[in-house]
Amino acid sequence: MVFQKLTETVKYIRSIAPNKPRVGITLGSGLGAFVKEIEVEHTIPYHEIPYFMPTTVEGHQGNLIFGKVGSQSVVVLQGRNHYYEGHSMETVVFPTRTVALLGIESLILTNSAGGFGETMQAGEFMIIEDHINLMGTNPLMGPNIKELGPRFPDMTEAYDKNLIEKMEQIFQKQQVRYHKGIYCGVSGPTYETPAEVRYLKLIGGKAVGMSTVPEVIAANHLGLRVAALSCITNLAAGISRQKLSHQEVTDTAKQVEKQFTGFLKEFVQSI
Ligand code: HPA
């Protein structure tokens, strides 16, 4: 069933955008401005694509964009669906699977996250080197879709080491402060309690967010090379005295837009 739906979706998209992209990019909360850097060839709103769901969260535009960044051909998911919106995991990872079947080799995922690493400040970046899935489910539950990948996918190197190294080199070259660490994926939609953040710190995390983990799992199932970057839009609950809000998340993302865009532009071309 899922595979049939994917085939139909890919066929529809190819009827509009026949060229095969090499790199897929998912833009997280408030990070959609990167599309200004793309020489756009096609924009398809999610609501026109079979089985895609419109985005409901402010800061997530909901467009599938094809184009070039320099000489690199990309397909961009401008906005994503989240588990907390009430979508099934199948729906959450459907766009990731779609771009994989369009032929990409590498997938770059970006998100906004709360940080609790020792020296973290809002407005900094964290390269995700591994994750802990605390969503209470897994997008690969149910019968395995063998056309997509194996029943028990390996997750030893879920985040590609070479891509991590490239990201580090670019941050260093651009003299942008960055962190590297473990992302804890939670369901939301509440932000964490301070006790939960202390727990996440204890188990080795440095950032927490409500996305990315399902997509990384689905992408690894499909054998893609994955890179992921968090924009630390706020310190996690209890780290500072401030209360958390989505406004703060989108405001911070907006403030770092230039750095984020400058980084991503160079990274995409280096792959
Ligand atoms: N917690 C969970 N998700 C988030 C946060 C946070 O503090 N900030 C942005 N997304």
Side-chain angles (χ1 to χ4, degrees):
M1 260 304 273
V2 175
F3 190 67
Q4 269 166 2
K5 287 186 195 170
L6 284 164
T7 309
E8 192 185 324
T9 302
V10 166
K11 196 172 158 199
Y12 171 79
I13 293 169
R14 285 213 176 113
S15 74
I16 298 168
N19 291 348
K20 183 170 135 173
R22 263 195 76 229
V23 176
I25 306 166
T26 299
L27 298 173
S29 275
L31 302 171
F34 174 71
V35 300
K36 286 186 232 156
E37 300 301 323
I38 307 169
E39 202 184 302
V40 176
E41 289 160 359
H42 306 280
T43 300
I44 317 174
Y46 288 175
H47 65 84
E48 290 179 9
I49 303 174
Y51 309 112
F52 268 47
M53 293 295 154
T55 51
T56 66
V57 186
E58 199 219 320
H60 284 262
Q61 286 89 342
N63 292 306
L64 184 69
I65 298 166
F66 286 82
K68 287 257 159 65
V69 177
S71 61
Q72 187 72 278
S73 56
V74 301
V75 57
V76 176
L77 289 157
Q78 191 192 26
R80 55 156 65 89
N81 306 120
H82 304 82
Y83 188 49
Y84 63 73
E85 291 174 82
H87 296 301
S88 66
M89 274 289 170
E90 181 191 314
T91 300
V92 170
V93 300
F94 194 85
T96 304
R97 286 173 163 165
T98 300
V99 293
L101 295 181
L102 286 169
I104 60 164
E105 293 157 25
S106 306
L107 178 66
I108 305 169
L109 297 157
T110 66
N111 64 42
S112 293
F116 50 89
E118 279 309 326
T119 57
M120 269 182 187
Q121 306 276 351
E124 294 179 341
F125 298 97
M126 186 187 90
I127 296 170
I128 303 180
E129 58 180 350
D130 203 349
H131 74 225
I132 299 176
N133 178 10
L134 296 162
M135 290 189 160
T137 184
N138 187 301
L140 305 185
M141 297 259 275
N144 182 44
I145 307 165
K146 60 180 183 314
E147 292 88 346
L148 301 184
R151 171 74 290 189
F152 300 110
D154 175 60
M155 293 289 281
T156 310
E157 213 185 290
Y159 299 82
D160 187 272
K161 286 226 157 51
N162 290 328
L163 295 181
I164 290 175
E165 212 168 280
K166 272 198 177 127
M167 289 197 277
E168 290 204 73
Q169 284 164 0
I170 294 169
F171 275 129
Q172 283 162 14
K173 184 176 144 212
Q174 297 189 344
Q175 299 190 319
V176 173
R177 220 173 109 79
Y178 70 95
H179 303 264
K180 199 166 71 167
I182 294 169
Y183 174 90
C184 301
V186 297
S187 71
T190 50
Y191 290 115
E192 300 65 43
T193 63
E196 285 165 346
V197 173
R198 287 195 296 275
Y199 162 75
L200 298 177
K201 207 168 175 176
L202 210 62
I203 62 173
K206 279 193 190 171
V208 56
M210 306 173 194
S211 69
T212 307
V213 165
E215 291 120 295
V216 171
I217 293 171
N220 272 272
H221 185 223
L222 283 145
L224 294 179
R225 294 202 297 160
V226 176
L229 181 70
S230 289
C231 170
I232 304 300
T233 49
N234 56 281
L235 292 178
I239 303 289
S240 81
R241 290 234 185 105
Q242 213 179 320
K243 287 200 174 188
L244 273 51
S245 71
H246 187 58
Q247 189 62 45
E248 183 191 359
V249 169
T250 49
D251 285 353
T252 308
K254 179 104 194 105
Q255 279 164 25
V256 300
E257 188 179 300
K258 259 217 174 91
Q259 278 184 344
F260 174 76
T261 300
F263 167 80
L264 201 53
K265 194 175 163 183
E266 190 160 346
F267 180 47
V268 168
Q269 292 181 81
S270 76
I271 295 177

